[in-house]
Amino acid sequence: MKNAIRSTTRGVLLASTLCVSLPTLAAEGMWTMDNLPLAILEKTYGFKPTPAWLNKSMRSSVRLAGGCSGSFVSAQGLVLTNHHCVIGCVEDLSSEKQDLINKGFLAKSNSEEKQCPGMEVNRLEKTEDVTARMQKALAGLSGKAFSEAKKAEQSLIEKACVGDAGDERRCDIVELYGGGEYHVYQYARYQDVRLVFSPEYASGFFGGDPDNFNFPRYNLDMSLLRVYDRAGKPLANADWFPINPKGAKAGELVMTLGHPGSTQRQLTMVELETQRDLVLPFRLMLTSEYRGVLLQYSTQSEEKARIAQTELTMVENGIKARTGMFQALLLPNVMQQKREQENVFRSWVKNDPERSKTYGDPWQTLSDTQIAWRNLYVDYVMVEVGFGAMSQHVNWARTLVRGTAETAKPDSDRLREFSDASLPAVQAGLFAEVPLYPDFERTKLAWSLSKLREKLGVDNPVVKGILGKQSPEALANEIVSNSKLGDAAVRKQLWQGGIDAVKRSDDPAIKLAYLIDEHARKFRTEYDQNIEPVQKAAANQLAKARFAHQGTRVYPDATFSLRLSHGVIRGWEEKGKTITPFTDIGGLFERATDYDPFKLADSWVAAQKKLNQKAHFNQVSTNDIVGGNSGSPLINAKGELVGLIFDGNINSLGGSYFFDESVNRAVSVHPAAMTEALKHVYKAKRLVKELELH
Amino acid sequence: MKNAIRSTTRGVLLASTLCVSLPTLAAEGMWTMDNLPLAILEKTYGFKPTPAWLNKSMRSSVRLAGGCSGSFVSAQGLVLTNHHCVIGCVEDLSSEKQDLINKGFLAKSNSEEKQCPGMEVNRLEKTEDVTARMQKALAGLSGKAFSEAKKAEQSLIEKACVGDAGDERRCDIVELYGGGEYHVYQYARYQDVRLVFSPEYASGFFGGDPDNFNFPRYNLDMSLLRVYDRAGKPLANADWFPINPKGAKAGELVMTLGHPGSTQRQLTMVELETQRDLVLPFRLMLTSEYRGVLLQYSTQSEEKARIAQTELTMVENGIKARTGMFQALLLPNVMQQKREQENVFRSWVKNDPERSKTYGDPWQTLSDTQIAWRNLYVDYVMVEVGFGAMSQHVNWARTLVRGTAETAKPDSDRLREFSDASLPAVQAGLFAEVPLYPDFERTKLAWSLSKLREKLGVDNPVVKGILGKQSPEALANEIVSNSKLGDAAVRKQLWQGGIDAVKRSDDPAIKLAYLIDEHARKFRTEYDQNIEPVQKAAANQLAKARFAHQGTRVYPDATFSLRLSHGVIRGWEEKGKTITPFTDIGGLFERATDYDPFKLADSWVAAQKKLNQKAHFNQVSTNDIVGGNSGSPLINAKGELVGLIFDGNINSLGGSYFFDESVNRAVSVHPAAMTEALKHVYKAKRLVKELELH
């Protein structure tokens, strides 16, 4: 592996003192728009973006609030993103009679475009550095006082930013550099988002879990959405990326503009050990068992397979991703090298009395906090995060129980997820009409309650408080059979009735949610008051020391906010084998078998002869991306879309902790494959025209 | 934790140089019968066993060849062991119409006792140290030559030991101290073993997985078997343990005589890291998913729940055990302390030229081998061990394919599991009439083939060789639908027809087994020739150095051979709470709920008023035990049975790597509970009389 901490000064890339093997053209970095590596771009690629280019690119990129990226690709609000980013919507729009997941969806006109329940698209409009203001508000505070002051100040800033435009604007405080900087990000918020095109699951996820994170690859992991304005018309937007069906050449500069979710490249050793020893194996074991449940559920009937399909896809994806992260942390040299880097940095602080006084010993503070966090972790994820009661009914009930209690308080006192700024998204989720499958809900809830009992222990007071003398199966059955929360109107009525209405409800899911909330709040408070603020304060000190040590021209860990990464189209070497950067349509037909997940959709079989077998299908590039970047545009220096990011290779999974340019690759759909597919497989003339795919 | 490496000299327990916190009365140790800690027993407990006492105790103890311990408890061949040790037999004797697992089984007369298919009981008769002979045969050899010479010499020794008595005698070479010593163990072999009594699952495994490895506990985890002689009569045996219903008092000396399966207390750091980073998480993830499949399968119908019950029990037990082991290796101080011990020992060798010359650097050798082993591991367990094709049909087919190929060779050239000494057990397993559930087999095989593809990768040549363009589901379906190996007569005919008959067979399971065997043999050969012998040779050197460093009066790692452990009845402190050593029958009724796994069997509900509520139910003691000890007698100084070992507490799971007397506890069924249950719940007058339970 190579060094994950890079220092650049005014854009001149310098290897840190420790990083002897660092190549000079490293594509590492997820750069914020206010701190782009402009000198690297110029020096390495001869590319000098203008402010107009940057502004247009920013405004052409979007975020799907649920956790993906995307981009505008037409002047009529058309958004390109991944198939796997809209699968939840496709599932919500499906039923036993209309299996859009497996049959695919293509709207022949605007009127056939179907609204995705609860989906929200955000476009970044501007950002502002509010570090000084935040640091002033937090100066000298710790623990509960820190945490409350922070919430209050964030709330004030966000509120001022949103103003009266709450339905159309969203403002989020983004903590960069582990709290070393605070910025407010102002987005245009679009809540009327409609499905335009989604291929069949067999095409959008060809190769399924076996091929996931692999390359060579043949996935048409694309979908099209359309953003509608508040008048119900397709959004007229000036900024969008034209698709260039020719794509980019091997070695050519390509950039992503997307929203990487989270990386942990700045974690200290004790924090990394918590990941390796507790967080990752715990989650992997838990979700592996859940995967087994879902797999077997799927064998019970075709309809059950359809019902569980989306959840299974997400669970398998998460397992594969975490397995890669876990294995990356077990690579022989990773921890050793990270430890050496930390030792050098720590000594640099410790051995200088002035620095020692200025920065203290944040490593020790973080180490102490890890003990508290480790002790809390299982309670926190099972009860507060909710792995111990996985159920639509319980989720809605918990939102009602906690949300009505929180919204009864002033904005600044609330838990962040119920701030005024967040409420439109909360309500959209709560009021969305989505299908509900009682047998599936019963299965998930019974299983997860049994895990609650297992992970906390049968004699644990929280478990006894929630289960009493009931079994997980009996309790799940009671909830699913008797709760009325499946009806969106009931949920809306309760929400609008506020805390009194919810308290009066005798719905069994609400009752369970109160039992859970009683304990969950304790764990949340413990985290919010005794762990997070201490960690934040220490990370803050660490960030300041790091700026002093390495200069300020570094990139921050990912925060699901807009980042640019640069790289080139390039394959890699694996076990002595050269992996070339492109696959072709012909390869798809060679790889196909008669069985899922390698079975071709009928539409592709029918179109085989019309398709250009040599057209590129998928490609890899050296861009530094991570989960959340799904759906990101891959653009060239002209601002043309030359790829649609949908995955990383298996080696990219260590990217959470470090970037290894020799093997870490981003995987994207080639525009030629999109063009061929829309033209010949899906015969989507209307879209071909709108996208100008000549 | 405390030091896992203990040195005693002529029975005087000495703390090793590193172990500053070592208490002087540590119960640590699984001692071989030829090297008992007699001085400790005398000094600590004032107990001085006579040779006659020792001989009688040895001959009263038995081993269930499938992986458990037990003891004779009457002069008519009655064997006491755990419910969970015979559950496989009970399952084999059950059917949809006769659910003996959940209804329990009680033979009212000898004629009602039912033979357990394939079960074998072994009683140790004598042992002989053959170290000198083995070391002479292996002197100067390495790699393939080492491995072949070892097999050949073992085979000669075992053969000479068995003589003409193959059906009645079994001889195994036991490698102690990581190959530092070789002993030949001669057993009486009994292959007609019949089920006499087994309680309902709800009683034998009350509390199920949630309570497993926990204490306080209320499990009647007992069963009775009877060994029959070759004339079909109950075995007349002179040596057996009388049950004392009063049990032992808190603080009293209690000993186990059982067969601990395996411990890894002497592993070097790199070997421990392989456990922590690869073996344990890999197995845990794999089996967690399998558990999910089985759990969901069990919800599909009552009959499916019955079919999957035993497998699920075993899988859950394995997961809980490995989770405990994994967590033990992650305890903050364990690896650190082990590392320090190793550094001291290693320096002791390295810093002395004479020692350095004599012992070399086995740590480095083991470190080098770990790389090869880690690279091989996944292939080995998925293909050779068989996790990638879990199926009765495939297991039988693989035995036929490999067994007929091996038995065509001279004994000394064969893989050890097909040596003449092993064949009776192989054949008993292969010819046993057991029920077969096609849907269950299809489920297991399809799932495990999909894991083969996942873990090795979809483009792996082994996977391609086995699956071709088939899907796991389609291949599993073909095997289960068309294989004839479910018929024991077909298996017997093929076995007796030898390699030619098997090669000619067009049974799809046989065909698959040939495909698997082609690859499996390569992995096996790699292990047998390039990994194991190198490790063994290094472990050998390490053992010699350890003897020189710490004296020879230490105990070897567990090897599923007879061991004595001493301890006392004693509770422990956990998180500031005192856990007392006994539970009572009354506590069972308090813990019961209306739902599995806390639902009482009807028989217990009916008997509640007749039962002495204050009679002890389960108990804990400080004995050093591990998996394989299940069913071990717990005896007092008089040689009376005062408990039936069935579990350890959760803290005992670190026992694979170290023994921590402060919290590691063995859990046993109290004889009072057995007595009350047989008298009042099961009204087993015949057995109460035979066991003399007054």
Side-chain angles (χ1 to χ4, degrees):
Chain A
M1 71 154 287
K2 275 176 253 72
N3 194 350
I5 301 162
R6 194 66 31 79
S7 66
T8 66
T9 307
R10 292 279 131 208
V12 180
L13 190 72
L14 294 175
S16 95
T17 47
L18 274 164
C19 186
V20 291
S21 62
L22 189 73
T24 50
L25 298 182
E28 176 169 351
M30 302 168 176
W31 302 89
T32 51
M33 298 306 282
D34 64 310
N35 178 34
L36 291 172
L38 298 174
I40 302 179
L41 291 176
E42 187 171 359
K43 193 173 168 120
T44 311
Y45 313 101
F47 176 56
K48 207 174 164 180
T50 61
W53 187 99
L54 289 171
N55 189 54
K56 189 178 176 69
S57 298
M58 177 182 91
R59 294 179 58 83
S60 300
S61 305
V62 301
R63 180 175 85 164
L64 273 56
C68 273
S69 300
S71 61
F72 284 114
V73 286
S74 88
Q76 295 88 46
L78 207 54
V79 166
L80 178 66
T81 185
N82 293 145
H83 168 261
H84 77 263
C85 290
V86 308
I87 193 174
C89 162
V90 180
E91 190 198 4
D92 288 345
L93 298 176
S94 291
S95 65
E96 185 166 3
K97 286 181 187 162
Q98 198 173 29
D99 180 1
L100 303 181
I101 294 182
N102 292 305
K103 296 202 173 128
F105 177 80
L106 174 66
K108 298 231 172 69
S109 63
N110 285 355
S111 63
E112 285 186 10
E113 296 171 1
K114 293 193 183 186
Q115 193 173 357
C116 284
M119 188 179 276
E120 176 177 315
V121 161
N122 303 140
R123 167 166 67 190
L124 187 60
E125 304 278 319
K126 63 175 189 176
T127 73
E128 188 191 345
D129 186 341
V130 293
T131 310
R133 181 172 167 183
M134 286 296 293
Q135 284 183 347
K136 192 174 160 197
L138 300 176
L141 301 179
S142 65
K144 198 178 171 190
F146 176 96
S147 153
E148 291 185 347
K150 189 168 155 233
K151 264 199 306 199
E153 195 67 12
Q154 282 187 222
S155 169
L156 286 175
I157 296 172
E158 288 174 1
K159 249 192 156 142
C161 169
V162 170
D164 295 331
D167 290 340
E168 297 174 6
R169 185 182 295 168
R170 171 175 181 151
C171 294
D172 296 342
I173 294 284
V174 179
E175 290 184 48
L176 300 169
Y177 305 98
E181 289 186 5
Y182 292 84
H183 292 232
V184 59
Y185 275 50
Q186 179 185 316
Y187 298 95
R189 179 203 292 271
Y190 303 107
Q191 290 189 300
D192 183 353
V193 184
R194 305 188 193 173
L195 186 66
V196 176
F197 166 70
S198 174
E200 318 85 342
Y201 189 88
S203 308
F205 198 41
F206 178 80
D209 182 67
D211 266 2
N212 197 15
F213 295 109
N214 280 358
F215 192 86
R217 192 75 166 281
Y218 308 88
N219 265 23
L220 191 76
D221 195 351
M222 72 175 285
S223 283
L224 290 162
L225 300 168
R226 193 184 303 278
V227 170
Y228 280 70
D229 65 20
R230 297 183 63 75
K233 302 277 176 202
L235 184 75
N237 58 309
D239 300 306
W240 51 280
F241 295 122
I243 297 177
N244 181 345
K246 296 207 178 93
K249 295 193 187 71
E252 185 178 333
L253 165 66
V254 284
M255 289 158 282
T256 67
L257 273 148
H259 297 76
S262 98
T263 52
Q264 284 90 40
R265 295 185 186 173
Q266 308 292 12
L267 289 190
T268 61
M269 287 309 298
V270 288
E271 292 173 305
L272 282 172
E273 283 163 1
T274 301
Q275 293 290 311
R276 183 194 67 189
D277 297 345
L278 175 60
V279 174
L280 289 169
F282 183 85
R283 284 290 295 276
L284 280 168
M285 274 191 63
L286 186 68
T287 49
S288 290
E289 187 178 319
Y290 185 43
R291 180 189 189 185
V293 170
L294 294 173
L295 282 170
Q296 184 59 20
Y297 189 85
S298 302
T299 67
Q300 291 176 236
S301 74
E302 269 189 40
E303 171 63 359
K304 287 189 173 186
R306 186 189 71 76
I307 289 169
Q309 191 169 13
T310 307
E311 181 86 345
L312 182 58
T313 302
M314 295 303 161
V315 166
E316 290 188 331
N317 184 63
I319 288 174
K320 210 157 183 182
R322 283 194 186 82
T323 303
M325 291 164 66
F326 183 56
Q327 285 172 349
L329 286 185
L330 295 172
L331 285 175
N333 299 324
V334 170
M335 291 300 249
Q336 185 57 28
Q337 237 175 311
K338 287 241 177 203
R339 189 180 301 281
E340 283 165 16
Q341 289 168 24
E342 178 169 303
N343 288 344
V344 169
F345 180 24
R346 198 169 174 176
S347 301
W348 181 84
V349 172
K350 197 180 169 185
N351 297 341
D352 180 293
E354 194 56 39
R355 288 182 206 134
S356 197
K357 197 179 149 196
T358 309
Y359 307 116
D361 189 351
W363 293 273
Q364 188 56 47
T365 309
L366 287 168
S367 176
D368 297 342
T369 331
Q370 284 307 295
I371 297 169
W373 174 227
R374 283 173 173 237
N375 285 336
L376 179 65
Y377 179 76
V378 173
D379 290 337
Y380 192 82
V381 297
M382 295 308 290
V383 184
E384 167 63 7
V385 178
F387 283 99
M390 287 161 49
S391 136
Q392 287 270 53
H393 295 98
V394 178
N395 288 348
W396 286 320
R398 289 190 66 190
T399 300
L400 288 167
V401 164
R402 192 175 276 189
T404 53
E406 289 296 307
T407 51
K409 304 178 194 169
D411 188 42
S412 61
D413 290 357
R414 296 180 203 159
L415 293 170
R416 299 279 305 140
E417 65 269 30
F418 295 107
S419 69
D420 282 339
S422 308
L423 285 184
V426 169
Q427 291 175 2
L430 188 62
F431 302 162
E433 299 262 11
V434 294
L436 190 71
Y437 303 101
D439 182 69
F440 188 51
E441 292 302 317
R442 200 177 286 119
T443 299
K444 287 192 299 179
L445 184 54
W447 175 80
S448 55
L449 286 169
S450 79
K451 292 306 106 174
L452 177 75
R453 182 174 70 185
E454 175 180 318
K455 300 299 182 187
L456 271 63
V458 67
D459 294 317
N460 181 288
V462 178
V463 174
K464 283 186 169 173
I466 291 171
L467 279 183
K469 283 220 163 192
Q470 289 227 69
S471 71
E473 295 74 21
L475 181 55
N477 196 42
E478 190 200 323
I479 304 261
V480 176
S481 303
N482 300 327
S483 173
K484 303 282 179 257
L485 299 188
D487 182 345
V490 172
R491 300 195 295 271
K492 194 163 189 174
Q493 198 173 22
L494 281 165
W495 180 260
Q496 289 168 342
I499 188 166
D500 292 335
V502 176
K503 271 194 176 159
R504 273 196 314 270
S505 165
D506 61 356
D507 191 283
I510 299 273
K511 285 184 171 177
L512 178 63
Y514 272 114
L515 286 176
I516 292 173
D517 201 53
E518 177 197 336
H519 301 285
R521 281 205 180 252
K522 281 183 217 153
F523 300 136
R524 177 67 179 266
T525 302
E526 165 72 5
Y527 180 75
D528 281 359
Q529 292 182 5
N530 300 329
I531 296 177
E532 199 191 27
V534 186
Q535 280 181 336
K536 290 270 175 202
N540 233 297
Q541 289 300 93
L542 213 51
K544 286 181 201 160
R546 191 176 283 116
F547 286 152
H549 185 227
Q550 305 181 313
T552 54
R553 301 293 85 193
V554 294
Y555 66 92
D557 263 323
T559 47
F560 196 40
S561 57
L562 189 66
R563 303 294 178 91
L564 179 145
S565 96
H566 57 88
V568 295
I569 301 281
R570 183 184 292 162
W572 78 100
E573 302 280 319
E574 180 118 14
K575 293 177 186 165
K577 235 177 100 185
T578 301
I579 316 283
T580 55
F582 299 108
T583 63
D584 299 339
I585 286 180
L588 169 73
F589 291 97
E590 281 168 33
R591 190 163 185 78
T593 72
D594 290 341
Y595 302 100
D596 286 334
F598 297 100
K599 190 173 178 178
L600 288 173
D602 294 343
S603 61
W604 282 78
V605 175
Q608 182 168 8
K609 287 186 184 160
K610 287 187 210 133
L611 291 164
N612 174 4
Q613 303 291 311
K614 293 193 173 162
H616 289 333
F617 205 126
N618 289 165
Q619 60 190 349
V620 286
S621 57
T622 60
N623 301 77
D624 187 1
I625 60 153
V626 77
N629 268 113
S630 285
S632 297
L634 187 76
I635 59 173
N636 62 16
K638 285 193 236 169
E640 295 168 337
L641 193 142
V642 294
L644 168 62
I645 295 288
F646 72 96
D647 206 359
N649 68 351
I650 199 85
N651 306 299
S652 75
L653 291 164
S656 289
Y657 307 110
F658 56 89
F659 181 76
D660 181 354
E661 188 177 354
S662 66
V663 293
N664 185 330
R665 290 295 176 271
V667 186
S668 54
V669 185
H670 196 278
M674 297 192 245
T675 306
E676 289 285 308
L678 288 175
K679 279 186 181 168
H680 303 301
V681 180
Y682 302 105
K683 303 180 181 69
K685 282 186 192 169
R686 183 175 76 107
L687 297 174
V688 169
K689 193 178 167 203
E690 183 174 349
L691 294 166
E692 300 173 17
L693 298 175
H694 311 299
Chain B
M1 68 153 291
K2 275 177 255 70
N3 193 349
I5 301 161
R6 192 64 33 76
S7 67
T8 66
T9 308
R10 291 279 132 209
V12 181
L13 190 71
L14 294 175
S16 93
T17 47
L18 273 164
C19 184
V20 291
S21 63
L22 189 72
T24 49
L25 300 182
E28 175 170 351
M30 303 170 177
W31 302 89
T32 51
M33 298 306 281
D34 65 309
N35 178 34
L36 292 172
L38 298 174
I40 302 179
L41 291 176
E42 188 173 357
K43 193 173 167 122
T44 311
Y45 312 100
F47 175 56
K48 208 174 164 179
T50 62
W53 188 98
L54 290 171
N55 189 54
K56 190 178 176 66
S57 298
M58 177 181 90
R59 295 178 58 83
S60 300
S61 304
V62 301
R63 180 175 85 164
L64 273 57
C68 274
S69 301
S71 61
F72 284 116
V73 286
S74 88
Q76 294 89 46
L78 208 55
V79 165
L80 177 67
T81 186
N82 293 145
H83 168 261
H84 77 263
C85 290
V86 307
I87 192 172
C89 162
V90 180
E91 191 197 3
D92 288 345
L93 298 176
S94 291
S95 65
E96 186 167 1
K97 288 181 185 162
Q98 200 174 28
D99 179 2
L100 302 181
I101 293 182
N102 293 306
K103 295 203 173 128
F105 177 80
L106 174 65
K108 297 234 170 67
S109 64
N110 285 356
S111 63
E112 287 187 9
E113 296 171 3
K114 292 193 183 186
Q115 193 171 356
C116 285
M119 188 178 275
E120 176 176 314
V121 161
N122 302 140
R123 167 164 69 190
L124 186 60
E125 304 278 319
K126 65 175 188 177
T127 73
E128 189 191 343
D129 187 340
V130 292
T131 308
R133 181 171 166 184
M134 286 296 293
Q135 285 184 346
K136 193 175 160 197
L138 300 176
L141 300 180
S142 66
K144 196 179 172 191
F146 176 96
S147 155
E148 290 186 348
K150 192 169 152 228
K151 265 201 303 199
E153 195 67 13
Q154 282 188 221
S155 168
L156 285 175
I157 295 172
E158 288 174 1
K159 246 189 160 143
C161 168
V162 170
D164 296 331
D167 291 339
E168 297 175 4
R169 187 182 292 169
R170 170 176 181 149
C171 294
D172 296 342
I173 293 282
V174 179
E175 290 185 47
L176 301 168
Y177 305 100
E181 289 186 6
Y182 292 84
H183 291 233
V184 59
Y185 276 51
Q186 179 185 316
Y187 299 95
R189 180 203 291 269
Y190 303 108
Q191 291 188 300
D192 183 353
V193 185
R194 305 188 192 174
L195 185 66
V196 177
F197 165 70
S198 173
E200 318 86 341
Y201 189 88
S203 309
F205 197 42
F206 178 79
D209 182 66
D211 267 2
N212 198 13
F213 294 109
N214 280 358
F215 192 84
R217 193 76 165 279
Y218 307 88
N219 265 23
L220 191 76
D221 195 350
M222 70 174 288
S223 283
L224 290 161
L225 301 167
R226 194 185 302 280
V227 169
Y228 279 71
D229 65 19
R230 298 182 62 75
K233 301 280 179 201
L235 184 76
N237 58 310
D239 301 306
W240 51 280
F241 295 123
I243 297 176
N244 181 344
K246 295 206 178 93
K249 294 192 187 71
E252 186 178 333
L253 165 66
V254 284
M255 288 158 282
T256 67
L257 274 147
H259 296 76
S262 98
T263 53
Q264 285 91 40
R265 294 184 187 175
Q266 308 292 12
L267 289 192
T268 62
M269 286 311 297
V270 288
E271 292 173 305
L272 281 173
E273 283 163 1
T274 301
Q275 293 290 312
R276 182 195 66 187
D277 297 345
L278 175 60
V279 174
L280 289 169
F282 182 85
R283 284 290 296 275
L284 279 169
M285 273 191 63
L286 186 68
T287 50
S288 289
E289 187 179 319
Y290 184 43
R291 181 190 189 186
V293 170
L294 294 173
L295 281 170
Q296 185 59 21
Y297 189 86
S298 300
T299 66
Q300 292 177 235
S301 72
E302 269 188 40
E303 172 62 359
K304 286 190 172 184
R306 186 189 71 75
I307 289 169
Q309 190 169 17
T310 308
E311 182 84 345
L312 182 57
T313 303
M314 295 302 163
V315 166
E316 290 188 330
N317 185 63
I319 288 174
K320 209 157 184 180
R322 282 193 186 83
T323 303
M325 290 162 68
F326 183 55
Q327 286 173 347
L329 286 184
L330 296 172
L331 285 175
N333 299 324
V334 169
M335 292 300 249
Q336 186 56 27
Q337 237 175 312
K338 288 240 177 204
R339 189 178 300 280
E340 284 165 14
Q341 289 167 26
E342 179 169 300
N343 287 345
V344 169
F345 180 24
R346 200 170 172 175
S347 301
W348 181 83
V349 172
K350 198 182 169 184
N351 297 340
D352 179 295
E354 194 57 41
R355 287 182 206 134
S356 197
K357 197 178 149 195
T358 309
Y359 307 117
D361 189 351
W363 293 273
Q364 189 56 48
T365 309
L366 287 167
S367 177
D368 297 342
T369 330
Q370 283 308 295
I371 297 170
W373 173 226
R374 283 173 173 238
N375 285 336
L376 179 65
Y377 179 76
V378 173
D379 289 338
Y380 191 83
V381 297
M382 295 309 289
V383 184
E384 167 63 7
V385 178
F387 283 99
M390 287 162 49
S391 137
Q392 287 270 54
H393 295 98
V394 178
N395 289 348
W396 286 320
R398 290 190 66 190
T399 300
L400 288 166
V401 164
R402 191 175 275 188
T404 53
E406 290 296 307
T407 52
K409 304 176 192 171
D411 187 41
S412 62
D413 290 356
R414 296 180 203 158
L415 293 170
R416 300 278 306 140
E417 65 270 29
F418 295 106
S419 69
D420 282 339
S422 307
L423 285 184
V426 170
Q427 291 174 3
L430 188 62
F431 303 162
E433 300 261 12
V434 293
L436 191 70
Y437 303 101
D439 180 69
F440 188 51
E441 293 301 317
R442 199 176 287 118
T443 299
K444 287 192 300 178
L445 184 54
W447 176 80
S448 55
L449 286 169
S450 79
K451 292 306 108 176
L452 176 75
R453 182 175 70 185
E454 174 180 319
K455 301 298 182 188
L456 272 63
V458 67
D459 294 316
N460 180 289
V462 177
V463 173
K464 284 185 168 174
I466 291 171
L467 279 184
K469 284 221 164 191
Q470 290 228 67
S471 71
E473 295 74 21
L475 181 56
N477 195 43
E478 189 200 326
I479 303 260
V480 175
S481 303
N482 300 327
S483 172
K484 303 282 180 255
L485 298 188
D487 182 345
V490 172
R491 300 195 294 270
K492 194 164 190 171
Q493 200 174 17
L494 281 165
W495 179 260
Q496 288 167 344
I499 189 166
D500 293 335
V502 175
K503 271 194 176 159
R504 275 196 311 271
S505 166
D506 60 358
D507 190 283
I510 299 272
K511 286 183 169 177
L512 178 64
Y514 272 113
L515 286 176
I516 293 173
D517 201 54
E518 178 197 336
H519 301 286
R521 279 202 182 257
K522 281 182 219 154
F523 301 136
R524 177 67 178 266
T525 303
E526 166 71 5
Y527 181 75
D528 282 359
Q529 291 182 6
N530 299 330
I531 296 176
E532 199 191 27
V534 186
Q535 280 181 335
K536 289 270 177 205
N540 233 295
Q541 288 300 93
L542 213 52
K544 285 181 202 161
R546 193 176 281 116
F547 287 153
H549 185 226
Q550 306 181 312
T552 52
R553 301 294 84 195
V554 293
Y555 66 92
D557 263 323
T559 47
F560 197 39
S561 57
L562 191 65
R563 303 295 178 91
L564 179 144
S565 96
H566 57 86
V568 294
I569 301 282
R570 183 184 294 163
W572 78 99
E573 302 281 319
E574 180 117 13
K575 295 177 187 166
K577 233 178 101 185
T578 300
I579 317 281
T580 54
F582 299 108
T583 63
D584 299 339
I585 285 180
L588 169 73
F589 291 98
E590 281 169 32
R591 191 165 185 77
T593 73
D594 290 341
Y595 302 100
D596 287 334
F598 297 101
K599 190 174 178 180
L600 289 173
D602 295 343
S603 61
W604 282 78
V605 175
Q608 182 168 5
K609 287 187 181 157
K610 285 187 207 129
L611 290 164
N612 174 3
Q613 303 290 312
K614 295 195 172 159
H616 288 335
F617 205 125
N618 288 167
Q619 60 189 349
V620 286
S621 57
T622 60
N623 301 78
D624 187 2
I625 60 156
V626 78
N629 268 113
S630 285
S632 297
L634 187 76
I635 60 172
N636 62 16
K638 284 193 234 169
E640 295 167 337
L641 193 142
V642 293
L644 167 63
I645 296 289
F646 71 96
D647 206 357
N649 67 351
I650 199 85
N651 305 298
S652 75
L653 291 164
S656 289
Y657 307 110
F658 56 90
F659 182 77
D660 181 353
E661 190 177 352
S662 66
V663 293
N664 185 328
R665 291 293 177 274
V667 186
S668 54
V669 185
H670 195 279
M674 298 193 242
T675 305
E676 289 285 308
L678 289 175
K679 277 185 181 169
H680 303 301
V681 180
Y682 302 104
K683 302 181 180 71
K685 281 186 191 167
R686 183 175 77 107
L687 296 173
V688 169
K689 195 177 164 200
E690 184 174 346
L691 293 166
E692 300 174 15
L693 298 175
H694 311 299

